[in-house]
Amino acid sequence: MRTDVHADPRLTPQTESAQDSPSLPTGAFAPFSSVEEYILRCTDEIWVDRGVGLISSRYYAEDVVLHGAYGTSRGVQPVVQGTLQSIRSFPDEVGFGEDVVWEQRGSGFVSAHRVYSTGTNTGWTEYGPPTGRHFEKRALAHCLVRDGRIVEEWVVRDEARLVTDLGFDLERLSLEIAERSAWRPLELAIPADPLRAGVSGDRPRTAADDDCRRVLDAMDAVWNTHRHDRLADHFGKDVVLHTSRGRTLQGIAQYSTETLDIHSAFPDARMRVLDVCAHDSARAGRRITAIWMLEGSYSGYGVYGAATGLPVQIIGASQFLVESGSIHREHRVYDELALRVQIEQLRANPAAPLAQ
């Protein structure tokens, strides 16, 4: 998966120098000259050069913890095995490294790498034999790096876009995956105040803190207090939202309606922010990433089949562009296929952990 081709010239990876992070030890991103170069180069070495063994020998801790749409796993071998399988499934995959947002965490750092991928399915996948069809999807990897190795990672993908591009029926596929009991609840604690300390650790006070608080307030207004009449206080009138299944929406009214669509299925859902990081760049502006959990019950409209009344847990990530105190763009990534699988799995087994 290449990450050296970029759709937006403002995001071309002209790597920042170590002077842009004066308090971060250079060993934190060795042997590279910056955090951004570390993230982009290690991705290319693994996916483009196919140096998959570098996952365990250089870039990931042996006991790495990985949080994804299907639960939490521990250890580096699942990362190695999943990478080998993915490369074979999509050998011509090209990943556009859209942005790297990072922030210091003690002597290490946390990074949010947003990637847009395209390619062709010419190998077997977990969904079946090769379809030969073109696909596009967006993903975001939020990594905690210490001593040059990834020790914990939160990964979200727009898998629903991938499988529909490959020609699969989302409803039928989710039933098939649910029969394998593929989904498990995530193993993590909800932080009290992610502005000061999130799941990646204590946050330093930065010049972006006021805008980070604006983002948190906006997310609360949209998802928790339902003050859609006040969205203009947080968002530019022409705000652009890139969201699941490759959809792009524009303007406050469309932004509001997209959120209401989700609440129509999960009317009691609440947004819990897990982690925040922010980064300023002369070429890309101030970007703020929030890793989040949406929790509620499937007790509304039957968007995903008959409502069950059972709990749901959606992990996702949003990257915001903030200018002059307003949010002008959001890239929202979550796995709508995994959400469907979770619903069907709990429908068949209501005594599963999250439903207890």
Side-chain angles (χ1 to χ4, degrees):
M1 176 171 58
R2 294 190 66 86
T3 58
D4 56 354
V5 183
H6 295 255
D8 187 338
R10 295 180 306 164
L11 303 179
T12 302
Q14 303 160 355
T15 55
E16 301 163 20
S17 69
Q19 293 177 349
D20 293 318
S21 52
S23 61
L24 189 60
T26 55
F29 42 80
F32 305 109
S33 62
S34 69
V35 169
E36 188 177 35
E37 185 183 8
Y38 172 100
I39 295 297
L40 294 172
R41 287 284 301 278
C42 79
T43 304
D44 276 356
E45 287 179 11
I46 292 167
W47 290 92
V48 179
D49 302 334
R50 303 190 179 184
V52 180
L54 294 172
I55 292 173
S56 54
S57 67
R58 182 181 299 176
Y59 290 120
Y60 280 73
E62 183 178 353
D63 57 351
V64 62
V65 180
L66 181 66
H67 308 281
Y70 288 93
T72 298
S73 66
R74 288 175 167 78
V76 74
Q77 283 311 307
V79 183
V80 173
Q81 293 163 10
T83 304
L84 287 168
Q85 290 175 308
S86 183
I87 290 175
R88 183 58 196 95
S89 299
F90 314 106
D92 69 342
E93 182 174 358
V94 177
F96 296 82
E98 293 182 308
D99 204 358
V100 177
V101 176
W102 67 270
E103 200 173 66
Q104 186 168 353
R105 293 292 183 269
S107 60
F109 61 89
V110 64
S111 76
H113 184 195
R114 195 181 80 242
V115 180
Y116 194 84
S117 300
T118 65
T120 311
N121 174 214
T122 58
W124 274 77
T125 69
E126 61 181 301
Y127 312 120
T131 66
R133 297 182 62 160
H134 174 82
F135 73 88
E136 300 179 23
K137 70 173 182 178
R138 179 171 278 115
L140 192 144
H142 192 76
C143 300
L144 177 61
V145 181
R146 296 194 185 111
D147 300 322
R149 287 182 179 258
I150 298 169
V151 298
E152 195 163 7
E153 186 172 8
W154 298 261
V155 181
V156 288
R157 301 180 177 92
D158 186 2
E159 200 74 0
R161 172 68 188 272
L162 169 68
V163 298
T164 52
D165 280 356
L166 297 187
F168 293 99
D169 178 87
L170 271 176
E171 183 176 354
R172 182 180 302 173
L173 185 61
S174 63
L175 286 167
E176 293 174 0
I177 299 173
E179 290 177 357
R180 304 197 297 266
S181 300
W183 175 84
R184 303 181 309 278
L186 284 167
E187 301 171 20
L188 46 78
I190 305 296
D193 181 6
L195 186 62
R196 295 278 58 90
V199 290
S200 66
D202 292 342
R203 288 192 68 245
R205 296 188 180 276
T206 74
D209 276 5
D210 287 346
D211 280 338
C212 287
R213 177 55 69 189
R214 289 187 179 95
V215 164
L216 293 175
D217 289 345
M219 296 176 76
D220 189 61
V222 170
W223 295 101
N224 299 334
T225 63
H226 314 302
R227 291 303 306 267
H228 290 243
D229 58 322
R230 302 298 299 273
L231 294 191
D233 294 346
H234 307 286
F235 298 91
K237 66 181 180 65
D238 295 321
V239 60
V240 176
L241 171 64
H242 304 279
T243 188
S244 70
R245 289 177 279 124
R247 293 169 298 141
T248 297
L249 307 169
Q250 186 166 10
I252 288 177
Q254 290 188 9
Y255 189 100
S256 171
T257 300
E258 170 64 16
T259 306
L260 293 173
D261 283 346
I262 297 174
H263 271 124
S264 71
F266 314 107
D268 60 351
R270 290 188 61 81
M271 176 72 72
R272 311 288 295 276
V273 176
L274 305 175
D275 211 47
V276 177
C277 70
H279 191 245
D280 292 328
S281 168
R283 56 190 167 77
R286 173 165 288 173
R287 295 96 67 229
I288 297 171
T289 298
I291 304 298
W292 46 263
M293 180 85 73
L294 195 68
E295 295 179 304
S297 62
Y298 183 32
S299 55
Y301 297 151
V303 179
Y304 304 103
T308 64
L310 296 172
V312 294
Q313 181 191 78
I314 308 168
I315 185 174
S318 292
Q319 271 190 0
F320 302 91
L321 175 67
V322 181
E323 295 176 345
S324 302
S326 293
I327 297 168
H328 291 271
R329 185 180 67 218
E330 178 185 352
H331 287 89
R332 182 185 300 164
V333 187
Y334 65 97
D335 191 335
E336 202 169 345
L337 173 62
L339 170 61
R340 288 175 174 269
V341 170
Q342 178 186 157
I343 289 170
E344 296 304 331
Q345 192 170 311
L346 292 177
R347 191 195 305 278
N349 181 18
L354 190 62
Q356 291 179 345

